[in-house]
Amino acid sequence: MMPPASTLPGVDALWPLCLQIAARGAPSPADTQSPIAWNAAQGCSLQGLWDGQALELFELLKPLLDARHAGTPWAVGQLGQSLGGCVATYGGDSNYVNGPEMLVHLHRLRALCDVVIVGAGTAALDNPQLTTRRVDGPHPVRVLLDPALRLPATLRVFCDGQAPTLLACDASRAHEAARRVGADQVLGVRGLARPDGSTDLRALQAALLERGLGMLFVEGGGITVSRFIEQGCLDRLHLCIAPVIIGAGRPGLQLPRSTAMRDCMRPPSRVYRMGADVLW
């Protein structure tokens, strides 16, 4: 006989286990008492009886937890957008596209990853904190991708001391960046700036991995996430769709045009409800 759902462990019991995997990996197969098991064929699996919300959250986070335990470099991107595919109004206001449940999910991804990455445009508009203040868990290293050195040193991430911060620029401009924000907050990446003006994101990933930072969360904005997809640098994408119509706002994904539907990307996907929002 199944116990009542109200007596089953839920998200509050599951989340500390996810943080443990992120910090130390899953328990060994010999630990038969652990609620989470691991084997090479299936990765992490949840043992015993759990309520439906916990099972759904574990399913959503499992790819990240599997990569974390295996020690595999991995990147997940997330965009919060309107029904029409916009991430902000025309003027750049994006606070808040999504509701509180999706914001909690955003902070969980930060807590489970080594790094949270945002582009210079998003950082300049939002002046974000990029911390895990809505959930228990460590703050990630905050990386601001700014090859052109557009960002002012007055942004909160450079001044608040809440978490380590790195301004990522081409190695040729590292000394200039250090004069602005301090050498300890600069990541000079050799080959980051290509001759055509684009950014080599694989060079960024390699530079972060050299520092032991292999689990990346690409939080935005639309251009930065799009470039990660275009260069084959993203393992998973979370699109958080809110029941709001912005109109002629700032678009989310901006990828090369397809001339025929048969040429369009059709990645395998799942859909999750989070409050009034839908996570694809």
Side-chain angles (χ1 to χ4, degrees), residues 9-44:
V11 169
D12 289 344
L14 175 65
W15 178 239
L17 299 175
C18 295
L19 291 174
Q20 289 177 23
I21 294 174
R24 302 191 296 271
S28 70
D31 186 357
T32 58
Q33 302 302 312
S34 174
I36 293 181
W38 164 269
N39 66 62
Q42 298 178 338
C44 295

Side-chain angles (χ1 to χ4, degrees), residues 78-89 93-107 109 134 217 219 238-246 272-280:
Q78 175 160 312
L79 284 177
Q81 66 177 47
S82 69
L83 292 172
C86 293
V87 296
T89 66
D93 181 15
S94 61
N95 293 324
Y96 291 105
V97 175
N98 297 113
E101 294 86 356
M102 202 68 79
L103 292 175
V104 168
H105 173 65
L106 180 82
H107 286 227
L109 290 181
R134 291 178 179 263
F217 176 32
E219 188 170 317
H238 289 185
L239 278 181
C240 309
I241 303 167
V244 60
I245 299 173
I246 293 176
Y272 300 84
R273 288 300 304 264
M274 291 195 174
D277 299 332
V278 175
L279 190 152
W280 173 90

Side-chain angles (χ1 to χ4, degrees), residues 53-222:
Q53 288 185 330
L55 292 172
E56 187 173 65
L57 178 62
F58 183 80
E59 180 185 66
L60 176 59
L61 298 179
K62 175 176 160 55
L64 190 157
L65 298 175
D66 286 346
R68 186 60 133 165
H69 176 79
T72 306
W74 203 80
V76 56
Q78 175 160 312
L79 284 177
Q81 66 177 47
S82 69
L83 292 172
C86 293
V87 296
T89 66
Y90 181 78
D93 181 15
S94 61
N95 293 324
Y96 291 105
V97 175
N98 297 113
E101 294 86 356
M102 202 68 79
L103 292 175
V104 168
H105 173 65
L106 180 82
H107 286 227
R108 284 182 179 140
L109 290 181
R110 291 176 184 172
L112 294 175
C113 290
D114 298 321
V115 164
V116 55
I117 299 172
V118 297
T122 296
L125 282 169
D126 296 347
N127 194 12
Q129 297 179 66
L130 303 177
T131 61
T132 58
R133 58 196 179 277
R134 291 178 179 263
V135 299
D136 292 331
H139 301 316
V141 176
R142 304 175 293 192
V143 174
L144 280 66
L145 185 57
D146 187 20
L149 297 186
R150 294 186 289 156
L151 294 175
T154 53
L155 289 182
R156 286 189 291 192
V157 292
F158 296 129
C159 308
D160 62 14
Q162 293 191 73
T165 300
L166 294 172
L167 188 156
C169 64
D170 192 83
S172 63
R173 305 193 69 176
H175 291 299
E176 181 183 351
R179 288 195 295 270
R180 292 190 186 188
V181 300
D184 61 327
Q185 295 196 115
V186 173
L187 175 64
V189 181
R190 189 179 303 276
L192 181 66
R194 293 168 166 167
D196 63 1
S198 64
T199 302
D200 188 339
L201 296 174
R202 291 196 181 277
L204 174 64
Q205 287 181 308
L208 291 170
L209 189 58
E210 285 182 5
R211 293 185 172 222
L213 305 172
M215 297 294 295
L216 312 184
F217 176 32
V218 186
E219 188 170 317

